[in-house]
Amino acid sequence: MRNTVLLYLLLSLFASASLPVNAATQPMAESPPTAVIERQAGLVNLNQADVMTLQSKLTGIGRSKAEAIVAYRSEHGAFETVDELLEIKGIGKALLDRNRDKLTVK
């Protein structure tokens, strides 16, 4: 009985000692692209976001407004500022202010 308990203690000691060694030998992954970092930070890039992203990430933006944003971008080129959203019919100052901290135009 005593030998069995000692054996289990030694086994758990060796197992826990090998975890940091295995973790240290794993190769580091390459840094993620900018779009991934922005998504992780919660920012929506108006110049790259598709309809589904705009619709799901922004407050008060449904399918028709998201489509209008993409259409505006297609017709007028890339957004230079977030405030350009005010040029789109149906998007007012209040809606822009609600989403301003979620938006970027890189």
Side-chain angles (χ1 to χ4, degrees), residues 2-28:
R2 185 182 235 181
N3 288 342
T4 305
V5 172
L6 184 60
L7 179 65
Y8 284 119
L9 287 174
L10 286 174
L11 202 62
S12 64
L13 177 67
F14 288 129
S16 65
S18 67
L19 287 176
V21 172
N22 287 339
T25 59
Q26 297 294 326
M28 293 188 64

Side-chain angles (χ1 to χ4, degrees), residues 16 34 37 56 62 67 74 86:
S16 65
T34 305
I37 293 170
S56 64
E67 288 172 349
S74 297
L86 294 173

